[in-house]
Amino acid sequence: MKMTTQTYAIGSVQDFLMQIGRVVVAGNVELAVFRTSDGRIYALENRSPHPKGGPLAEGIVSGHFLYDPLYDWKIDLRTGEVQAPDQGSVVTYPVTLDGENVTVSV
Amino acid sequence: MATIREKLVLVGNGMAGIGTIEQILKLGGAYDITVIGSEPHPNYNRIMLSYVLEGSKTIDDIILNDWNWYEDNNITLHTGTTVTRIDEGSKQVITDNGMAVSYDKVIIATGSNSFILPVPGSEKEGVVGFRDISDCDAMLEAAKQYNKAAVIGGGLLGLEAAKGLVNLGMDVTVVHLMEDLMERQLDRNASSMLQAELERQGVKFAMGKQTVELTGEQRVNGLRFSDDSTLAADFVVMAVGIKPNVTLAKESGITVNRGIVVDDYLQTSMQNVYSIGECAEHRGVCYGLVAPLFEQGMVLAKHLCGSDTKPYEGSVVSTKLKISGVDVFSAGEFMDSPEHTVISSKDEWKKTYKKILLKNNVIVGAVLFGDVTESANLQKLVKQGAVMTDEIYSEVMGTGCCGGGAKKGTSVEAMADEEIVCGCNGVTKKAIIDAVTENGFTTVDEIKACTGATRSCGGCKPVVEQILQFVLGDSFQQGAKQGICSCTTLSRDEIVAEITAKGLKTTKEVMNVLEWKQEEGCSKCRPAINYYLGMMNPDTHQDEKESRFVNERMGANIQKDGTYTVIPRMYGGVTTPEDLKKIADVSLKYDVKVVKVTGGQRLDLIGVKKEDLPKVWEELDMPSGYGYAKSLRTVKTCVGSQFCRFGTQDSLGMGALLERKYERLDFPAKFKMAVNGCPRNCAESCTKDIGIVGNDGGWEVFIGGNGGIKPRIADAFCKVKTDEELIEVCSAVMQYYRETGNYLERTSEWVERMGLEQIQMVILNNEENRKELAARIDFALTQVTDPWKKILNDNSTRTALFEDARV
């Protein structure tokens, strides 16, 4: 049970290449942060829901979907839901954009 | 809100039981479900254990339902717990750790155990069955420590175990009581062909031997047979059969014969208690294969959910050996007797055998060896009890030049809706039809994505295609036009033509103009289009990092734990003591887990942390070896005329020259070469994309070889006299492949698709054409740069790609 959330400033929009994920360690949570082509930023726990685990940050981004780098599972960046026929979900964290500044609540 | 749901307890967390639960969930059954299993794992695909042993899958890969699945479906799961008794009076199941779980309905799906021969010594250390993950683990473990193994039992399981142990490097002898392998599934012809093939693959056989004792002190050290001969073995696998696990049923007073006796609705002799799978005995038969489990599960699920169902009337069983490289299949009756009409063909050159048995002209059984493409079809025909016709004959026996094809649609029409099409994932014909009609699917890939059919072993693909064709009817041809991925219906050639015609410059433009269904494409089409654009405009195309697979973007191979493998270039497989020292120093400094020699004569530095990659490259100060890339990997060489007493050509020199010339350029898929100094072929050019063999008067060129997923021996392409000619031919072949290959298509597939003669015509019969191809690859080669250097010189990319932000 997580009782408190903390907000972290994780940099400026420019620190995140379009459609290329980046690992951000916020407190003790490792996040995969993605900037989609519509300018939005999403933060997910950097861990594949595949039984063998592995990182997500290096996947291929399309629209607001991510193809994970190890097993090619398709994951919705907005909800963390894995798309059929695979099953599972990734924890997502809320991201706020204030001008150029990106913050995430973990 | 608080509706009271009936309590369903499933005893046994295996494929049969969980398959039933999945059906119940799909049917919307209103049960509170508890699953109790004695193995410590979630539900896994037992039929794939042989792949785990073979090394092509890991245990994690064969998990069917992970822990989340139970949670998501509100199923209570107790693993590592054994049910000892069902108490009919109090309607409770009692477990070995003292739990009492109330039930309204119980399903017993406790499966079976390995049958361990009751011979002296069978309790010794080093004797296992082949039944579950722990057996599999024991075998993997044994292979590390011991060398000589014996597998008792030449049936399906035994052979799979034996092949697995051979792959693990053990010296394996299969001991079989009968004179024929798999005598319960195969006739003598198929059996002897199978034995010959397995012997070729390194399995030894001791046929007609009855084991009477396992010798040794605490650990087994050998077998003694009834004829008093012996066999040394420090590891023994018993695969002589399975024994339905009926302990619980017996303890609870349920009627048990060989298995737990059930009726046509899988009901046992105890009210509200059902049984299914390998532990159950239906009409006198205990099944040990997967298809019947799904068929029983379907009937039971419907019965428990109160929907109409036909009774279960037994299954036609068919067998496929799962070990790689040996295709055998049998269904129904396979031993011919006087009452059968036998159609058979045996081809000792192609090593294929086909037999179909008819009784009163009805197809009752079949055996296939070597070529099992007709297995799905035959299985269906046997199941339907189809009457043999001229059409079926020409279709399955492959005679009559224009039979088959469109007619195949007719047989799936007669298939029952409930029939399982995909045995690995339990997908029925109806589920496939629903997927097609409800979602408007037109391709096998879409069906795979939605239902999971064809996803595991792929054996059911032909049937899925036929169902698709049957449902779509006339619109099939049109509808089923396969695009390069599900984002488009356009083929590779059409896309390339459009790129030229419309002058498209970026993947984004291509996807936009050609009206992609998913606006920004997917992990299949984006890398492909990025490649086509770069191949067509080597000087102007801006490579798109975001459309590159992680390995190519990072310049190293990602491993399952998220660390990377770095491979420095070693031209022709040659290095120097100085470079070796540098590699050793860097490996120590950055805590590399393993330094491994690759199949292509390079060094793998395995387990480098992502953030260390740029530093590792900087300190190695060597070119990237492209171990990750769709481009020239390595040119493998032998020692050649510089040192070898047989060598007639300088393979080391030529190998290094070719590797330097063609490195870094993108290809449709990875590309491997080999150069040999003499026809002894020590660098194995027969399995390379281009293999070169030196002889006294020049070089011989081979193309289209592959040692990987679909092994293929290279075709002899041409002979040349001079080094210049050799380089020109290589250039032309590579560029022709670059220009006409589908993305991810290896040359082994490309050569077969294009035809060897076509490639020879383009390159060998037309000098002008050959020179133009060579000129085009030379131009493209002027554009390449070393990716490691490039990243080291680009601070912002380096930070964004490799360094984690810490806040």
Side-chain angles (χ1 to χ4, degrees), chain B residues 177-194:
Chain B
L177 188 58
M178 307 293 183
E179 293 295 338
D180 295 317
L181 296 175
M182 285 179 75
E183 77 285 347
R184 282 191 292 171
Q185 288 90 18
L186 298 180
D187 65 351
R188 176 148 287 180
N189 265 322
S191 169
S192 63
M193 291 173 93
L194 174 63

Side-chain angles (χ1 to χ4, degrees), chain A residues 12-54:
Chain A
S12 130
V13 173
Q14 268 66 43
D15 295 335
F16 301 93
L17 298 178
M18 195 86 93
Q19 294 188 305
I20 289 186
R22 177 151 198 218
V23 178
V24 174
V25 182
N28 50 14
V29 182
E30 187 176 309
L31 304 170
V33 179
F34 300 94
R35 181 168 150 213
T36 52
S37 53
D38 57 4
R40 286 169 205 270
I41 294 190
Y42 298 95
L44 282 69
E45 188 188 1
N46 190 26
R47 190 179 186 289
S48 168
H50 187 280
K52 289 167 89 169

Side-chain angles (χ1 to χ4, degrees), chain B residues 95-168:
Chain B
T95 71
D96 58 348
N97 53 10
M99 270 196 311
V101 182
S102 303
Y103 71 80
D104 293 296
K105 299 269 168 21
V106 178
I107 303 172
I108 306 178
T110 44
S112 60
N113 299 322
S114 295
F115 180 69
I116 297 292
L117 285 176
V119 296
S122 62
E123 73 298 331
K124 286 190 197 307
E125 219 176 90
V127 181
V128 300
F130 182 29
R131 198 63 214 132
D132 57 26
I133 286 183
S134 66
D135 294 334
C136 204
D137 282 340
M139 290 160 82
L140 292 167
E141 209 42 53
K144 286 186 205 150
Q145 291 182 43
Y146 301 97
N147 179 40
K148 274 191 79 65
V151 174
I152 305 179
L156 198 61
L157 265 185
L159 297 179
E160 285 177 359
K163 184 65 201 309
L165 292 172
V166 166
N167 281 3
L168 292 171

Side-chain angles (χ1 to χ4, degrees), chain B residues 462-503:
Chain B
V463 186
V464 174
E465 266 166 8
Q466 286 166 33
I467 294 174
L468 194 57
Q469 193 170 359
F470 161 65
V471 177
L472 297 176
D474 290 342
S475 62
F476 176 70
Q477 284 307 328
Q478 226 181 354
K481 185 167 157 295
Q482 292 259 340
I484 59 164
C485 68
S486 58
C487 302
T488 180
T489 55
L490 296 175
S491 69
R492 178 249 181 231
D493 290 347
E494 286 167 330
I495 294 166
V496 169
E498 292 278 1
I499 291 176
T500 315
K502 301 199 162 86

Side-chain angles (χ1 to χ4, degrees), chain B residues 350-363:
Chain B
K350 284 262 186 190
K351 298 199 174 64
T352 59
Y353 173 64
K354 197 180 275 190
K355 180 168 87 169
I356 299 168
L357 292 181
L358 309 179
K359 218 186 246 173
N360 302 323
N361 214 31
V362 169
I363 302 171

Side-chain angles (χ1 to χ4, degrees), chain B residues 427-449:
Chain B
V427 183
T428 59
K429 175 188 171 194
K430 185 165 189 305
I432 294 171
I433 293 181
D434 289 350
V436 175
T437 51
E438 283 164 23
N439 304 296
F441 290 161
T442 54
T443 65
V444 174
D445 276 347
E446 288 168 324
I447 293 171
K448 171 160 117 187

